[in-house]
Amino acid sequence: MSKVVCPGSFNPVTLGHLDVFERCARLFEEVVVLVSYNSRKRYDVSSDQRVEWIRRAVSHLPNVTVESHGGLLADFVKSCAADMIVKGVRNANDVLVESQMYFANRELLRGGADTLFLPTCETFCYMSSSLVRDIASHGGDISTFVPASIAHEVADAYRPGR
Ligand code: PNS
């Protein structure tokens, strides 16, 4: 098992996501972080901008690349011949939501790549992109939630009145 895809909205990428990417980079030969589209969510920041932030945040990880894809995750996984999908899970609710996606992808991939759930470490289990957006939209300090290299830009992108 050497090539994995870490899909998500990453709106924006948080230190919790980065922890998952770093652990995958140690566990697997090749890691593709995929900025994907969740039809249940609304995005204020373009996928290109989210890709760019992640690229900067993972620049210290030579075996991690970042891409975006507007179609089905299963199609992307097949097209890049990945062995596994990896999702970080923070709590029981995440397991429930992710299990539904796992089931859909299992049907679509029919015996192809499997899904692995990686528990979030305790430092990040209360962290979420929506929390970051909420704090930033009220002009609050998000520097302990997102990678330092992108903190100013993320704060600007979600700041009040934009
Ligand atoms: O960070 P998120 O929003 O929980 O990530 C969910 C995401 C974007 C990975 C998921 O919605 C997804 O895979 N979207 C691509 C479309 C797709 O494949 N949908 C069907 C299976 S879930």
Side-chain angles (χ1 to χ4, degrees), residues 65-83:
T65 55
V66 189
E67 293 183 41
S68 66
H69 181 69
L72 282 176
L73 172 61
D75 289 339
F76 180 86
V77 166
K78 273 190 261 185
S79 72
C80 75
D83 303 294

PDB file of all heavy atoms in Angstrom, residues 65-83:
ATOM      1  N   THR A  65       1.655  15.739  -2.749  1.00  0.00           N
ATOM      2  CA  THR A  65       1.258  16.672  -3.806  1.00  0.00           C
ATOM      3  C   THR A  65      -0.188  17.103  -3.549  1.00  0.00           C
ATOM      4  O   THR A  65      -0.916  16.425  -2.813  1.00  0.00           O
ATOM      5  CB  THR A  65       1.351  16.031  -5.206  1.00  0.00           C
ATOM      6  OG1 THR A  65       0.583  14.831  -5.199  1.00  0.00           O
ATOM      7  CG2 THR A  65       2.783  15.721  -5.584  1.00  0.00           C
ATOM      8  N   VAL A  66      -0.590  18.203  -4.154  1.00  0.00           N
ATOM      9  CA  VAL A  66      -1.941  18.740  -3.924  1.00  0.00           C
ATOM     10  C   VAL A  66      -2.624  18.975  -5.265  1.00  0.00           C
ATOM     11  O   VAL A  66      -2.036  19.565  -6.168  1.00  0.00           O
ATOM     12  CB  VAL A  66      -1.877  20.064  -3.126  1.00  0.00           C
ATOM     13  CG1 VAL A  66      -3.275  20.492  -2.698  1.00  0.00           C
ATOM     14  CG2 VAL A  66      -0.963  19.946  -1.915  1.00  0.00           C
ATOM     15  N   GLU A  67      -3.856  18.487  -5.382  1.00  0.00           N
ATOM     16  CA  GLU A  67      -4.613  18.659  -6.625  1.00  0.00           C
ATOM     17  C   GLU A  67      -6.059  19.012  -6.289  1.00  0.00           C
ATOM     18  O   GLU A  67      -6.482  18.885  -5.146  1.00  0.00           O
ATOM     19  CB  GLU A  67      -4.595  17.370  -7.440  1.00  0.00           C
ATOM     20  CG  GLU A  67      -3.204  17.020  -7.958  1.00  0.00           C
ATOM     21  CD  GLU A  67      -3.197  15.785  -8.830  1.00  0.00           C
ATOM     22  OE1 GLU A  67      -4.128  15.643  -9.646  1.00  0.00           O
ATOM     23  OE2 GLU A  67      -2.284  14.977  -8.671  1.00  0.00           O
ATOM     24  N   SER A  68      -6.812  19.398  -7.324  1.00  0.00           N
ATOM     25  CA  SER A  68      -8.256  19.583  -7.105  1.00  0.00           C
ATOM     26  C   SER A  68      -9.008  18.783  -8.162  1.00  0.00           C
ATOM     27  O   SER A  68      -8.455  18.450  -9.226  1.00  0.00           O
ATOM     28  CB  SER A  68      -8.642  21.059  -7.167  1.00  0.00           C
ATOM     29  OG  SER A  68      -8.448  21.539  -8.469  1.00  0.00           O
ATOM     30  N   HIS A  69     -10.265  18.462  -7.829  1.00  0.00           N
ATOM     31  CA  HIS A  69     -11.068  17.642  -8.740  1.00  0.00           C
ATOM     32  C   HIS A  69     -12.537  17.951  -8.479  1.00  0.00           C
ATOM     33  O   HIS A  69     -12.987  17.920  -7.336  1.00  0.00           O
ATOM     34  CB  HIS A  69     -10.760  16.165  -8.452  1.00  0.00           C
ATOM     35  CG  HIS A  69     -11.508  15.207  -9.327  1.00  0.00           C
ATOM     36  ND1 HIS A  69     -11.262  15.080 -10.675  1.00  0.00           N
ATOM     37  CD2 HIS A  69     -12.485  14.313  -9.048  1.00  0.00           C
ATOM     38  CE1 HIS A  69     -12.050  14.155 -11.185  1.00  0.00           C
ATOM     39  NE2 HIS A  69     -12.813  13.675 -10.219  1.00  0.00           N
ATOM     40  N   GLY A  70     -13.272  18.245  -9.576  1.00  0.00           N
ATOM     41  CA  GLY A  70     -14.675  18.611  -9.400  1.00  0.00           C
ATOM     42  C   GLY A  70     -15.641  17.446  -9.523  1.00  0.00           C
ATOM     43  O   GLY A  70     -16.837  17.608  -9.301  1.00  0.00           O
ATOM     44  N   GLY A  71     -15.142  16.270  -9.856  1.00  0.00           N
ATOM     45  CA  GLY A  71     -16.024  15.116 -10.082  1.00  0.00           C
ATOM     46  C   GLY A  71     -16.057  14.163  -8.900  1.00  0.00           C
ATOM     47  O   GLY A  71     -15.777  14.552  -7.757  1.00  0.00           O
ATOM     48  N   LEU A  72     -16.395  12.920  -9.200  1.00  0.00           N
ATOM     49  CA  LEU A  72     -16.480  11.902  -8.141  1.00  0.00           C
ATOM     50  C   LEU A  72     -15.090  11.540  -7.626  1.00  0.00           C
ATOM     51  O   LEU A  72     -14.151  11.340  -8.417  1.00  0.00           O
ATOM     52  CB  LEU A  72     -17.132  10.631  -8.685  1.00  0.00           C
ATOM     53  CG  LEU A  72     -18.648  10.601  -8.840  1.00  0.00           C
ATOM     54  CD1 LEU A  72     -19.074   9.288  -9.474  1.00  0.00           C
ATOM     55  CD2 LEU A  72     -19.340  10.790  -7.488  1.00  0.00           C
ATOM     56  N   LEU A  73     -14.998  11.399  -6.309  1.00  0.00           N
ATOM     57  CA  LEU A  73     -13.737  10.984  -5.701  1.00  0.00           C
ATOM     58  C   LEU A  73     -13.300   9.625  -6.257  1.00  0.00           C
ATOM     59  O   LEU A  73     -12.120   9.410  -6.563  1.00  0.00           O
ATOM     60  CB  LEU A  73     -13.912  10.924  -4.173  1.00  0.00           C
ATOM     61  CG  LEU A  73     -12.767  10.333  -3.379  1.00  0.00           C
ATOM     62  CD1 LEU A  73     -11.488  11.140  -3.573  1.00  0.00           C
ATOM     63  CD2 LEU A  73     -13.132  10.255  -1.893  1.00  0.00           C
ATOM     64  N   ALA A  74     -14.252   8.712  -6.415  1.00  0.00           N
ATOM     65  CA  ALA A  74     -13.929   7.357  -6.896  1.00  0.00           C
ATOM     66  C   ALA A  74     -13.262   7.424  -8.270  1.00  0.00           C
ATOM     67  O   ALA A  74     -12.307   6.672  -8.541  1.00  0.00           O
ATOM     68  CB  ALA A  74     -15.196   6.511  -6.947  1.00  0.00           C
ATOM     69  N   ASP A  75     -13.724   8.335  -9.139  1.00  0.00           N
ATOM     70  CA  ASP A  75     -13.126   8.454 -10.477  1.00  0.00           C
ATOM     71  C   ASP A  75     -11.689   8.962 -10.388  1.00  0.00           C
ATOM     72  O   ASP A  75     -10.804   8.486 -11.098  1.00  0.00           O
ATOM     73  CB  ASP A  75     -13.960   9.398 -11.360  1.00  0.00           C
ATOM     74  CG  ASP A  75     -15.282   8.768 -11.751  1.00  0.00           C
ATOM     75  OD1 ASP A  75     -15.391   7.521 -11.690  1.00  0.00           O
ATOM     76  OD2 ASP A  75     -16.218   9.523 -12.110  1.00  0.00           O
ATOM     77  N   PHE A  76     -11.477   9.933  -9.502  1.00  0.00           N
ATOM     78  CA  PHE A  76     -10.108  10.445  -9.331  1.00  0.00           C
ATOM     79  C   PHE A  76      -9.188   9.342  -8.816  1.00  0.00           C
ATOM     80  O   PHE A  76      -8.073   9.161  -9.313  1.00  0.00           O
ATOM     81  CB  PHE A  76     -10.102  11.641  -8.359  1.00  0.00           C
ATOM     82  CG  PHE A  76      -8.723  12.191  -8.146  1.00  0.00           C
ATOM     83  CD1 PHE A  76      -8.200  13.140  -9.018  1.00  0.00           C
ATOM     84  CD2 PHE A  76      -7.931  11.734  -7.100  1.00  0.00           C
ATOM     85  CE1 PHE A  76      -6.910  13.624  -8.847  1.00  0.00           C
ATOM     86  CE2 PHE A  76      -6.639  12.207  -6.922  1.00  0.00           C
ATOM     87  CZ  PHE A  76      -6.128  13.162  -7.795  1.00  0.00           C
ATOM     88  N   VAL A  77      -9.668   8.600  -7.826  1.00  0.00           N
ATOM     89  CA  VAL A  77      -8.860   7.526  -7.213  1.00  0.00           C
ATOM     90  C   VAL A  77      -8.473   6.483  -8.268  1.00  0.00           C
ATOM     91  O   VAL A  77      -7.332   6.032  -8.337  1.00  0.00           O
ATOM     92  CB  VAL A  77      -9.635   6.891  -6.033  1.00  0.00           C
ATOM     93  CG1 VAL A  77      -9.021   5.583  -5.581  1.00  0.00           C
ATOM     94  CG2 VAL A  77      -9.711   7.883  -4.868  1.00  0.00           C
ATOM     95  N   LYS A  78      -9.440   6.150  -9.131  1.00  0.00           N
ATOM     96  CA  LYS A  78      -9.155   5.181 -10.203  1.00  0.00           C
ATOM     97  C   LYS A  78      -8.138   5.768 -11.181  1.00  0.00           C
ATOM     98  O   LYS A  78      -7.189   5.095 -11.567  1.00  0.00           O
ATOM     99  CB  LYS A  78     -10.447   4.841 -10.961  1.00  0.00           C
ATOM    100  CG  LYS A  78     -11.220   3.687 -10.318  1.00  0.00           C
ATOM    101  CD  LYS A  78     -12.341   3.225 -11.228  1.00  0.00           C
ATOM    102  CE  LYS A  78     -13.644   3.855 -10.757  1.00  0.00           C
ATOM    103  NZ  LYS A  78     -14.841   3.421 -11.461  1.00  0.00           N
ATOM    104  N   SER A  79      -8.346   7.044 -11.562  1.00  0.00           N
ATOM    105  CA  SER A  79      -7.499   7.632 -12.606  1.00  0.00           C
ATOM    106  C   SER A  79      -6.051   7.770 -12.158  1.00  0.00           C
ATOM    107  O   SER A  79      -5.148   7.742 -12.977  1.00  0.00           O
ATOM    108  CB  SER A  79      -8.044   8.987 -13.064  1.00  0.00           C
ATOM    109  OG  SER A  79      -7.842   9.948 -12.049  1.00  0.00           O
ATOM    110  N   CYS A  80      -5.831   7.921 -10.849  1.00  0.00           N
ATOM    111  CA  CYS A  80      -4.423   8.054 -10.415  1.00  0.00           C
ATOM    112  C   CYS A  80      -3.906   6.761  -9.781  1.00  0.00           C
ATOM    113  O   CYS A  80      -2.820   6.736  -9.229  1.00  0.00           O
ATOM    114  CB  CYS A  80      -4.238   9.249  -9.483  1.00  0.00           C
ATOM    115  SG  CYS A  80      -4.861   9.002  -7.829  1.00  0.00           S
ATOM    116  N   ALA A  81      -4.697   5.690  -9.905  1.00  0.00           N
ATOM    117  CA  ALA A  81      -4.293   4.357  -9.421  1.00  0.00           C
ATOM    118  C   ALA A  81      -3.837   4.376  -7.959  1.00  0.00           C
ATOM    119  O   ALA A  81      -2.802   3.783  -7.612  1.00  0.00           O
ATOM    120  CB  ALA A  81      -3.205   3.778 -10.324  1.00  0.00           C
ATOM    121  N   ALA A  82      -4.602   5.064  -7.119  1.00  0.00           N
ATOM    122  CA  ALA A  82      -4.258   5.095  -5.690  1.00  0.00           C
ATOM    123  C   ALA A  82      -4.692   3.792  -5.018  1.00  0.00           C
ATOM    124  O   ALA A  82      -5.641   3.139  -5.463  1.00  0.00           O
ATOM    125  CB  ALA A  82      -4.944   6.279  -5.022  1.00  0.00           C
ATOM    126  N   ASP A  83      -3.992   3.409  -3.960  1.00  0.00           N
ATOM    127  CA  ASP A  83      -4.304   2.169  -3.249  1.00  0.00           C
ATOM    128  C   ASP A  83      -5.353   2.389  -2.159  1.00  0.00           C
ATOM    129  O   ASP A  83      -6.012   1.460  -1.711  1.00  0.00           O
ATOM    130  CB  ASP A  83      -3.029   1.630  -2.569  1.00  0.00           C
ATOM    131  CG  ASP A  83      -1.931   1.404  -3.573  1.00  0.00           C
ATOM    132  OD1 ASP A  83      -2.094   0.521  -4.418  1.00  0.00           O
ATOM    133  OD2 ASP A  83      -0.915   2.140  -3.527  1.00  0.00           O
TER     134      ASP A  83
END
